[in-house]
């Protein structure tokens, strides 16, 4: 009995020794997500433990974002004003003084058929004189005139309000029979568009410069955080931690800084718009116009917060990637 048991024991494969265990993709994914969640919470907790320093960093980011964002909002308002001015861009076509009212109506009909003309309104000589008298307040003086010196005119609204297209249209209208002169004054519109183009380029330049400033602010803050945890990084690197594992909490810290700066920037823009709304509206009403301060809205606020978060993430990535290369376990 004893010999048989010994023989069976020798024939059994040994279960002792090293064994290789394989971890499935699902388990690794859960571990990866669990670590991301833990690092996100841990980085937020570390920022909350230093409220004053974190708030100052976020405020610096917010100030860097407010200036280009405010300029861009102002340019949006200028574009709306430019669209309204485009609608007022017209070509005044003066007809021959020898034409009577019926002939003037025929010329106006031919002008409406020109391309690209959106509309044409005939102003007879009598209507022109009445508007002139009402505008200057010279009813008594002009009423003594025996003949009306003003010609009939057609106010043409172009379909294409670009200055080049309007000039071409004016030259084509002058070639129509019965037209004495086509006058257009778009110098003010060209100046406004040049100013708008200059403002857009300035806004883009400021956005690039202040975006670089955000990268520097976040990068310097993350660099200090990396130096303060240098020994911890050396220990975890020594036991086999990868650079991605070490970099992860600092990336979340940069993202939190960027998100906080974006939220503060939205608050500053909202408060600034409310503070300036009353005097700007009063100034516009004094000129007989209606103007309201531009607002970011929900979409603009979300876009600003997203951009600031990405800037914070990029600044943290650059800072950590540079300093991790210098940290080597001893």
């Amino acid at each position: 009995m004893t010999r048989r048991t010994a023989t069976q024991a020798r024939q059994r494969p040994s279960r002792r020794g090293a064994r290789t265990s394989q971890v499935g993709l699902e388990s690794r994914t859960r571990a990866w997500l669990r670590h991301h969640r833990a690092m996100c919470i841990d980085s937020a907790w570390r920022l909350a433990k230093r409220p004053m320093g974190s708030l100052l960093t976020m405020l610096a980011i917010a100030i860097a974002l407010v200036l280009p964002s405010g300029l861009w909002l102002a340019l949006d308002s200028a574009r709306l004003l430019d669209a309204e001015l485009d609608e007022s861009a017209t070509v005044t076509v003066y007809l021959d003084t020898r034409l009577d009212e019926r002939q003037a109506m025929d010329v106006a009909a031919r002008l409406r058929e020109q391309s690209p003309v959106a509309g044409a309104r005939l102003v007879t000589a009598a209507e022109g004189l009445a508007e002139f008298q009402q505008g200057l307040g010279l009813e008594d003086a002009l009423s003594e005139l025996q003949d009306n010196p003003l010609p009939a005119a057609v106010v043409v609204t172009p379909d294409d309000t670009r200055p080049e297209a309007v000039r071409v249209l004016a030259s084509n209208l002058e070639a129509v029979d019965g037209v004495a002169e086509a006058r257009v004054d778009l110098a003010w519109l060209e100046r406004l568009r040049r100013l708008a183009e200059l403002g857009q380029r300035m806004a883009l330049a400021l956005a690039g410069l202040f975006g670089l400033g955000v990268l520097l602010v976040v990068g310097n803050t993350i660099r200090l955080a990396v130096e303060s945890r240098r020994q911890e990084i050396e220990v975890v690197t020594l036991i086999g931690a990868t650079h991605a594992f070490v970099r992860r909490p600092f990336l979340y810290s940069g993202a939190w800084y960027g998100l906080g700066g974006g939220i503060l920037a939205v608050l500053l823009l909202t408060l600034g718009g409310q503070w300036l709304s009353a005097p700007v509206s009063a100034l516009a009403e004094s000129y007989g116009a209606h103007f309201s301060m531009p607002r970011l809205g929900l979409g603009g606020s979300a876009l600003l917060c997203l951009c600031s978060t990405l800037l914070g993430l990029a600044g943290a990535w650059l800072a950590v990637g540079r300093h991790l290369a210098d940290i080597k376990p001893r």
Side-chain angles (χ1 to χ4, degrees), residues 95-107 122 124 152:
L95 305 183
D96 195 340
T97 55
R98 293 171 296 181
L99 299 178
D100 56 17
E101 186 173 348
R102 183 174 180 179
Q103 292 173 334
M105 294 176 63
D106 293 337
V107 174
L122 174 64
T124 62

Side-chain angles (χ1 to χ4, degrees), residues 155-207:
V155 180
V156 176
T157 303
D159 190 25
D160 189 356
T161 57
R162 291 177 302 172
E164 299 81 4
V166 173
R167 289 194 184 94
V168 172
L169 177 62
S171 62
N172 293 335
L173 294 178
E174 283 185 347
V176 177
D177 293 336
V179 174
E181 181 184 4
R183 182 172 299 178
V184 56
D185 184 15
L186 292 178
W188 55 272
L189 188 57
E190 289 184 353
R191 295 190 191 102
L192 181 62
R193 288 184 172 176
R194 295 291 181 270
L195 288 175
E197 183 181 356
L198 176 62
Q200 289 177 0
R201 296 192 178 187
M202 288 180 60
L204 291 176
L206 287 176

Side-chain angles (χ1 to χ4, degrees), residues 13-14 21 39 47 54 84 136 146 149 160 162 167 183 196 238-239 288 309 319:
S14 177
S21 61
M39 291 300 99
L47 266 63
S54 302
E84 293 179 359
L136 297 181
Q146 296 180 356
D160 189 356
R162 291 177 302 172
R167 289 194 184 94
R183 182 172 299 178
L238 188 62
I239 63 178
T309 303

Side-chain angles (χ1 to χ4, degrees), residues 224-239 246 250 327-330:
L224 296 177
V226 171
E227 290 296 330
S228 65
R229 301 173 62 179
R230 187 184 187 94
Q231 294 181 352
E232 178 184 348
I233 294 173
E234 291 178 353
V235 171
V236 296
T237 305
L238 188 62
I239 63 178
V246 176
F250 300 106
I327 298 177
K328 297 180 180 179
R330 302 173 184 176

Side-chain angles (χ1 to χ4, degrees), residues 284-303:
E285 289 177 0
S286 65
Y287 286 95
H290 177 71
F291 181 80
S292 59
M293 291 296 296
R295 301 180 184 275
L296 278 176
L298 184 59
S301 301
L303 181 61

